[in-house]
Amino acid sequence: MQGTAIAQPNIALIKYWGKRDVERNLPAVGSISVTLRELYTRMQVEFDASLDHDVLTVNGRPEEKMLPRLSACLDSVAGTARPRARIASICNFPIAAGLASSASSFAALTVAGAHASGRTMAADVLANLAGRASGSAARSLLGGFVELENREDAVVVQSLCTSAEWPLQVVVAITESGPKAIGSTEAMEISRKTSPFYAKWVDQQAHDLDIARAAIADRDFEKLAAVAEHNCLKMHSVMWASRPPLVYWNAATMRCMQAVRHLQGQGIGVFFTIDAGPQVKAVCLPEHVGDVEAALQATAGVADIMTTGLGSGARLERTA
Ligand code: 2P0
């Protein structure tokens, strides 16, 4: 009646922004991400018939706000008639700050919950259950470069290339560690309903996905860099043009982008990507990681940096 799973967050190089079915949480667009090795959520689920409600701790502290979403996700994995659960989550990076903590949390929760309930489920089934809780979580079921394909009534995830096959590095510049002002779910709906650029964003996504997929297949860093930065800035343009405007950047976010541009001018293989938060993720070739770390560390407003390789998919930690 217990399961513990580890999952790593992922960052999208071709972004998911917008839903075509809010009820089932189906994304409006496909996406491509990389899973991050050094960042993780470890989720322990223990069913206990003596409990009359689910209980959650995050990093050892009781947490109520996230509990309804986790309970609903566990219901989808183990059935609504399941015993109540003790859920303990440990996360080694800032939560709800644009570092995809919901992706690693729900990916780990589905794997741990399935094991605890004695159910065997294929990765695609788990991906759809995790994705229903948080769209990006479906991608954390797999490792390396992962594509999420947006099918008729489900999502399909596949690994395009493992971390060993293209061992890029990611330097995350933390410019602010507090939780974000407005969550992605609400923000995506604001964009869908109000941004004049939203329809164009959805229309162009297949093209960006084709370019990125080909760049990954060819291990063409320059090509991937160009399409990933374009796709990121396009998503933020959709956000900025929403009403109310959704601006997740701060001054240090912008300075980090300039630092990356400066490195590119010196021939360093690096590109930036930014999600629904002020952190900047600089993806780089392994031989350039020292230069990228030094430049971002020296950027005013950067509180901390974290360097990571690309990781593997969600997995069970131990059986009980
Ligand atoms: C992504 N983001 O592709 C995009 C880029 C943020 C910006 O997926 O509403 O927490 O729970 O399905 O997965 C963050 O959104 O959203 C996200 P929901 P999620 O990584």
Side-chain angles (χ1 to χ4, degrees), residues 81-99:
R82 67 175 172 83
R84 298 303 94 189
R86 215 169 276 117
I87 309 166
S89 166
I90 301 286
C91 193
N92 77 336
F93 61 98
I95 292 171
L99 285 175

Side-chain angles (χ1 to χ4, degrees), residues 10-17 19 25 31-33 69 100 102-103 106 131-137 139 180 184-186 188 235-236 239 274-276:
N10 65 76
I11 53 163
L13 305 182
I14 302 298
K15 310 287 190 187
Y16 148 50
W17 195 253
K19 299 173 198 291
N25 203 35
S31 52
I32 292 178
S33 64
R69 270 177 89 191
S102 62
F106 287 109
R132 191 165 181 150
S134 181
S136 56
R139 301 186 308 238
K180 57 189 161 195
S184 300
T185 304
E186 188 185 350
M188 285 184 201
M235 177 187 75
H236 284 277
M239 294 173 173
I274 304 158
D275 295 293

Side-chain angles (χ1 to χ4, degrees), residues 6-270:
I6 300 242
Q8 288 143 353
N10 65 76
I11 53 163
L13 305 182
I14 302 298
K15 310 287 190 187
Y16 148 50
W17 195 253
K19 299 173 198 291
R20 89 186 135 87
D21 184 332
V22 176
E23 188 68 24
R24 291 185 295 165
N25 203 35
L26 290 170
V29 292
S31 52
I32 292 178
S33 64
V34 287
T35 309
L36 306 179
R37 189 176 59 213
E38 310 298 337
L39 279 53
Y40 67 84
T41 299
R42 179 178 176 272
M43 192 68 81
Q44 186 175 35
V45 174
E46 187 189 354
F47 290 121
D48 182 343
S50 72
L51 292 174
D52 57 9
H53 56 86
D54 292 336
V55 286
L56 168 68
T57 57
V58 175
N59 293 334
R61 292 206 196 99
E63 156 72 53
E64 306 239 311
K65 213 169 132 223
M66 280 175 67
L67 185 58
R69 270 177 89 191
L70 270 75
S71 292
C73 181
L74 263 191
D75 285 350
S76 74
V77 173
T80 48
R82 67 175 172 83
R84 298 303 94 189
R86 215 169 276 117
I87 309 166
S89 166
I90 301 286
C91 193
N92 77 336
F93 61 98
I95 292 171
L99 285 175
S101 55
S102 62
S104 50
S105 297
F106 287 109
L109 185 70
T110 53
V111 174
H115 182 78
S117 62
R119 297 183 178 199
T120 308
M121 292 171 166
D124 253 344
V125 176
L126 289 170
N128 276 279
L129 296 175
R132 191 165 181 150
S134 181
S136 56
R139 301 186 308 238
S140 276
L141 263 300
L142 302 177
F145 292 77
V146 176
E147 176 166 8
L148 181 149
E149 211 186 310
N150 187 19
R151 295 256 177 98
E152 188 70 14
D153 56 0
V155 297
V156 175
V157 286
Q158 61 164 324
S159 182
L160 297 176
C161 152
T162 66
S163 50
E165 286 167 334
W166 203 13
L168 299 183
Q169 294 276 313
V170 182
V171 182
V172 182
I174 309 284
T175 64
E176 220 174 83
S177 57
K180 57 189 161 195
I182 177 160
S184 300
T185 304
E186 188 185 350
M188 285 184 201
E189 278 302 280
I190 293 173
S191 288
R192 184 177 67 80
K193 289 175 184 156
T194 68
S195 179
F197 305 150
Y198 182 80
K200 197 82 176 170
W201 156 257
V202 173
D203 278 357
Q204 291 189 352
Q205 190 77 343
H207 183 63
D208 289 1
L209 286 165
D210 286 346
I211 295 170
R213 202 181 302 112
I216 292 164
D218 296 343
R219 313 286 191 267
D220 184 337
F221 188 83
E222 295 295 314
K223 191 169 169 182
L224 183 63
V227 72
E229 287 192 354
H230 170 68
N231 189 266
C232 166
L233 293 174
K234 201 161 50 176
M235 177 187 75
H236 284 277
S237 303
V238 172
M239 294 173 173
W240 282 40
S242 301
R243 290 186 166 194
L246 303 162
V247 179
Y248 287 106
W249 302 359
N250 59 29
T253 311
M254 199 71 203
R255 281 195 290 268
C256 288
M257 291 164 71
Q258 283 165 340
V260 169
R261 284 271 182 264
H262 186 70
L263 288 166
Q264 289 170 339
Q266 296 174 322
I268 304 286
V270 61

